[in-house]
Amino acid sequence: QVQLEESGPGLVKPSQTLSLTCTVSGDSIASNTGHWTWIRQPPGKGLEWIGKIFGSGSTSYTPSLKSRTSISRDTSKNQFTLQLNSVIPADTAVYYCGNWDTWGQGTQVTVSS
């Protein structure tokens, strides 16, 4: 019932800003039970938690990325977004959005000149 879909650029240049959008159907991102989350998986590596936004609008981020990460939402569109500033090649990964145990299909992001 709940579906999430990531969208955004597949290629970003180093030092630029990555912006990804997660469009949610079947549930409201304003629900007080929501933990609307971004994770990523670099090639050949494990999953890395990036951060999340709660139904209240409060956010939480992994310390390693906090300084250049921002998660926001648009409740009228039932979307939440990931902004990652000053990207480097190590940010290359498949990025996923999800809530609890429901996840999108992922979107490949490559950071390269």
Side-chain angles (χ1 to χ4, degrees), residues 4-12 18-23 38-43 47 50 82 91-98 103-111:
L4 303 93
E5 183 174 4
E6 304 88 349
S7 62
L11 181 65
V12 186
L18 169 66
S19 183
L20 298 174
T21 297
C22 184
T23 300
W38 287 99
I39 62 172
R40 68 182 185 181
Q41 185 170 34
L47 295 169
I50 300 170
L82 170 68
D91 292 320
T92 294
V94 178
Y95 286 74
Y96 301 88
C97 62
W103 297 88
Q105 80 284 355
T107 185
Q108 173 69 48
V109 176
T110 299
V111 179

Side-chain angles (χ1 to χ4, degrees), residues 10-87:
L11 181 65
V12 186
K13 294 181 178 180
S15 82
Q16 298 299 310
T17 296
L18 169 66
S19 183
L20 298 174
T21 297
C22 184
T23 300
V24 179
S25 62
D27 195 11
S28 172
I29 62 170
S31 170
N32 62 11
T33 60
H35 293 243
W36 304 99
T37 302
W38 287 99
I39 62 172
R40 68 182 185 181
Q41 185 170 34
K45 299 183 179 180
L47 295 169
E48 179 184 19
W49 183 78
I50 300 170
K52 62 183 177 181
I53 186 165
F54 297 89
S56 66
S58 297
T59 55
S60 182
Y61 307 106
T62 185
S64 62
L65 297 173
K66 184 177 181 178
S67 66
R68 57 191 185 99
T69 302
S70 179
I71 298 174
S72 59
R73 66 180 184 173
D74 185 337
T75 57
S76 68
K77 297 180 180 179
N78 214 38
Q79 296 176 330
F80 65 105
T81 62
L82 170 68
Q83 182 175 294
L84 183 62
N85 300 319
S86 304
V87 298

